[in-house]
Amino acid sequence: MNFLGIVVTIGSLIGAVAYFLKDKEEIPIDAYKDYEVFLNAMTEYKNNHSDYAKDIRKLLPFMSNPEKMNLKRYGLSLDGKFLTVSHLPEEEAQKLINEIGGDSYINGVYTYLTLRRMNDLSEIKPIAHFSMKPDNKFSTTTFITYETSGCIAENGEILERKWENKFATFKEPGIYTIRLKIRDKNNNWSDTFEREIKVVEEKGIRDIEAYDGSFFMLYKNGRCLSRGKNESGQLGIGSLNPVNDLKYNSMYDSVLQIACGEGFNVFKFHDGSVGTAGSNRYGELATGDKNAQKTITSVWGLENIKQVSAGRKFAAALDYEGNVFVWGDNSDGQLMQDEVQDSMLPIKLEGVTGIKQISCGANFGLALKYDGTVMAWGDNTHGQLSVGYKGSVSEPVVTLFSNVKSVHAGDKYSLVVTDSGKVFGCGNNAYGQLGTKGKSEIFFPTEVLRLKDVETLKVRDSLTLAVMKTGKIYVWGNFNGPGNKPMYDPVEITGINYAKAFANNGKKCFVIDSNNDFFVISDLSGKYDKKKMFENFYEFMENESSKVK
């Protein structure tokens, strides 16, 4: 070292020592700015000594104007790999650690800032950001997706995303704050980006579904009640015990739709996933084996699902891209797979694309395309596929239905609602299920007369329930009970004030009207079982609690 360097070094040391004698509070500190000075000094020191300085005084020759820094607040760890800062406010210390990253930490009154990283401070400070879809109006059934493409990091490299309160669905109403911070390739953390959202609860009953002894009531807040026989575990409640009265089970949380088969049920959740429970002799649970399940089991490979439907011993799912997946029994070609008797996993139905809605009959399926045409596959022994003849088909076919708004498959017959609100049908008509007299089978679409302005149908076995745009209810076909005769013409169910939720299990019809009166209709006598339903899920739960007390 030359003479001038010696003078400068001695001067720096004298200035620093003199400063150490001052009160530490005389000069405020800027910890982040000072950290960079110490980091650069340590880098130069290490380049000259091939080791870390163990005493902060050894760094002074490599620092400019150290006398202007409050050095009494700083120190080095015993191994020289951390710069310590004393008595930093907790918020400031945590922010500093987030900025610097690495192995930095807080211990008591000291903040330890890592000096191990040499020249790895980011050229671009990382910035966290996220957007959400939907962007507003969140309810307890809203499925939320998060997009982080707005984050900024050096070279676009993000090593870690740390979330708080990130959920696809918020099951309870309230105010939630969602937070995100990111770590870049240099181990530097961003500041926390946060967004506060308000989640509300949608009140009311969304839908009811019933078949083969199972009954479900779905609330708009994502909760569900059930009752019925349960010998195969089809209710998915974890036991084989029957449930005589409507009960809530947390396994149903976030259920958006349920499709009932024979001894099994299919559950579609708000996040687009699918679960199944019950009997599984033909692989109808799509779980990869034939073991019955008494709890709801997730179906692997099904995601982004829009709708599910169940036949007798097979089921189908429609995704948001318009593809149809089928599984279970294939004895009548329900899966359109010549080489298999059944399938324990979902199979994509080839040649069926661009689909808007699906419906499974006993052993066949219907798929409505966005252009109003309908495709069909499976059993055609009564002409229910609406292709002009009866008999087997080797692949999904385009039916003779047109201008269709919705499709509805029964036991061995098909019905559709057109854009104009009319109903047409094909297939078996032995019990008047096509709403037409005189023919036991119909191969070409035939209109159900005396009906107009139909909103939708609920079809099961040989019974059809039609809901008009006015809220009135009509039925035809066969209630499939002792002493009941076929109804060849639609008959209005009187005494119901605007049906807002409805189901048909082939033997009975279930209707909830605008007054929340629940009707069970098993014949045309006009003597219906009737009881009051709770519009709000929490009112139901409060009532259940009062029973226990």
Side-chain angles (χ1 to χ4, degrees):
M1 184 180 292
N2 58 32
F3 177 74
L4 181 60
I6 294 173
V7 171
V8 171
T9 300
I10 294 173
S12 297
L13 287 170
I14 293 172
V17 171
Y19 182 75
F20 268 111
L21 298 177
K22 296 182 180 180
D23 192 312
K24 67 179 180 180
E25 300 298 336
E26 288 184 6
I27 301 178
I29 68 170
D30 183 339
Y32 187 77
K33 182 179 178 182
D34 292 348
Y35 169 79
E36 294 186 74
V37 173
F38 281 112
L39 182 64
N40 291 332
M42 180 66 83
T43 301
E44 290 190 41
Y45 178 89
K46 192 169 182 294
N47 289 338
N48 283 278
H49 297 84
S50 300
D51 194 7
Y52 292 95
K54 304 297 191 297
D55 187 333
I56 200 168
R57 299 172 191 268
K58 294 183 179 181
L59 298 181
L60 299 180
F62 303 95
M63 299 166 58
S64 60
N65 302 318
E67 69 279 359
K68 294 183 179 181
M69 299 171 63
N70 192 338
L71 294 177
K72 284 193 175 183
R73 297 278 299 278
Y74 294 103
L76 293 178
S77 61
L78 294 177
D79 59 5
K81 296 181 179 180
F82 289 90
L83 174 70
T84 64
V85 192
S86 67
H87 298 90
L88 276 182
E90 183 177 352
E91 184 176 347
E92 182 181 349
Q94 190 58 57
K95 183 177 179 181
L96 189 61
I97 287 175
N98 290 342
E99 293 277 0
I100 293 171
D103 297 322
S104 304
Y105 65 98
I106 299 173
N107 185 10
V109 298
Y110 293 98
T111 302
Y112 285 72
L113 306 176
T114 182
L115 295 173
R116 296 182 185 183
R117 303 172 302 111
M118 298 303 171
N119 298 324
D120 62 353
L121 287 178
S122 301
E123 295 180 7
I124 300 175
K125 180 181 176 180
I127 299 175
H129 184 273
F130 64 86
S131 59
M132 304 166 65
K133 290 184 179 180
D135 187 55
N136 52 32
K137 296 182 179 179
F138 302 96
S139 76
T140 52
T141 60
T142 302
F143 179 67
I144 305 170
T145 58
Y146 299 82
E147 173 59 52
T148 59
S149 60
C151 292
I152 297 174
E154 188 173 325
N155 296 329
E157 297 181 39
I158 300 175
L159 294 186
E160 183 181 352
R161 293 173 175 83
K162 187 173 182 179
W163 291 91
E164 290 182 36
N165 288 333
K166 179 194 175 189
F167 299 103
T169 301
F170 291 85
K171 297 179 181 179
E172 300 291 342
I175 304 296
Y176 296 90
T177 302
I178 305 164
R179 299 181 178 88
L180 170 67
K181 64 180 182 179
I182 62 172
R183 181 166 62 93
D184 68 9
K185 68 174 185 178
N186 300 315
N187 289 318
N188 294 318
W189 286 94
S190 69
D191 291 335
T192 299
F193 177 83
E194 64 181 39
R195 178 175 174 183
E196 185 177 88
I197 66 171
K198 181 180 180 181
V199 177
V200 300
E201 179 194 355
E202 289 188 61
K203 296 183 179 180
I205 297 168
R206 178 191 299 277
D207 196 11
I208 53 179
E209 183 66 29
Y211 186 62
D212 193 36
S214 293
F215 181 91
F216 297 94
M217 181 178 294
L218 288 78
Y219 280 92
K220 292 180 179 179
N221 69 352
R223 307 300 173 88
C224 180
L225 312 178
S226 69
R227 65 172 170 80
K229 66 180 186 180
N230 193 35
E231 71 279 6
S232 297
Q234 57 263 48
L235 295 183
I237 59 176
S239 76
L240 301 179
N241 300 323
V243 180
N244 297 322
D245 298 313
L246 281 175
K247 298 293 182 183
Y248 163 68
N249 192 292
S250 61
M251 290 186 179
Y252 298 142
D253 286 355
S254 298
V255 172
L256 187 62
Q257 185 211 349
I258 299 174
C260 300
E262 276 192 6
F264 77 102
N265 295 306
V266 184
F267 303 82
K268 183 242 171 179
F269 295 92
H270 290 97
D271 62 0
S273 63
V274 174
T276 54
S279 63
N280 197 22
R281 180 179 177 184
Y282 300 92
E284 52 265 51
L285 300 189
T287 53
D289 57 37
K290 292 188 177 181
N291 300 321
Q293 298 291 337
K294 59 185 179 182
T295 57
I296 299 175
T297 304
S298 297
V299 177
W300 184 86
L302 289 183
E303 55 187 16
N304 196 34
I305 296 302
K306 176 182 180 181
Q307 183 204 348
V308 292
S309 184
R312 183 168 291 155
K313 289 296 182 181
F314 86 106
L318 168 68
D319 70 16
Y320 278 97
E321 295 180 357
N323 302 305
V324 178
F325 300 83
V326 291
W327 63 91
D329 183 25
N330 190 41
S331 58
D332 286 303
Q334 303 95 305
L335 311 185
M336 288 283 101
Q337 298 286 320
D338 293 335
E339 67 279 8
V340 300
Q341 186 65 25
D342 49 50
S343 177
M344 297 175 287
L345 292 171
I347 298 171
K348 185 176 179 181
L349 203 56
E350 296 299 329
V352 182
T353 58
I355 302 304
K356 179 181 180 181
Q357 181 228 337
I358 58 174
S359 180
C360 292
N363 294 317
F364 70 100
L366 302 176
L368 172 63
K369 296 175 72 70
Y370 280 92
D371 62 4
T373 60
V374 177
M375 300 193 72
W377 68 94
D379 181 24
N380 191 40
T381 54
H382 291 267
Q384 59 263 47
L385 299 192
S386 185
V387 291
Y389 59 88
K390 66 179 181 179
S392 63
V393 296
S394 59
E395 59 185 18
V397 293
V398 178
T399 72
L400 298 174
F401 294 124
S402 61
N403 301 317
V404 175
K405 182 177 75 171
S406 61
V407 293
H408 309 273
D411 185 12
K412 296 182 183 297
Y413 67 106
S414 300
L415 291 168
V416 301
V417 179
T418 66
D419 292 331
S420 61
K422 295 181 179 180
V423 178
F424 290 82
C426 280
N428 186 22
N429 191 42
Y431 299 99
Q433 52 266 63
L434 298 182
T436 302
K437 293 181 180 179
K439 294 183 179 180
S440 61
E441 292 179 335
I442 296 177
F443 301 149
F444 294 89
T446 301
E447 185 178 355
V448 179
L449 301 176
R450 297 175 53 190
L451 284 183
K452 61 179 181 179
D453 295 329
V454 175
E455 180 63 30
T456 190
L457 306 175
K458 286 295 181 80
V459 177
R460 272 298 190 178
D461 291 347
S462 300
L463 183 66
T464 298
L465 179 153
V467 182
M468 316 306 288
K469 293 180 180 178
T470 59
K472 292 183 177 181
I473 296 284
Y474 285 80
V475 294
W476 64 88
N478 185 23
F479 274 107
N480 197 23
N484 287 318
K485 296 180 179 180
M487 297 169 287
Y488 292 97
D489 294 310
V491 179
E492 182 181 354
I493 302 296
T494 58
I496 294 178
N497 177 25
Y498 194 86
K500 65 177 185 180
F502 30 83
N504 164 18
N505 71 359
K507 296 180 180 180
K508 300 177 181 180
C509 294
F510 307 92
V511 179
I512 299 176
D513 71 3
S514 57
N515 294 322
N516 293 315
D517 288 327
F518 177 65
F519 297 85
V520 180
I521 304 164
S522 56
D523 55 40
L524 298 178
S525 66
K527 299 178 180 179
Y528 316 136
D529 291 336
K530 177 183 173 182
K531 65 180 296 185
K532 188 66 81 173
M533 278 295 167
F534 291 97
E535 170 77 6
N536 190 316
F537 169 78
Y538 291 102
E539 291 176 351
F540 171 84
M541 294 301 292
E542 289 174 6
N543 183 67
E544 291 296 293
S545 297
S546 66
K547 290 180 182 179
V548 175
K549 294 178 181 179

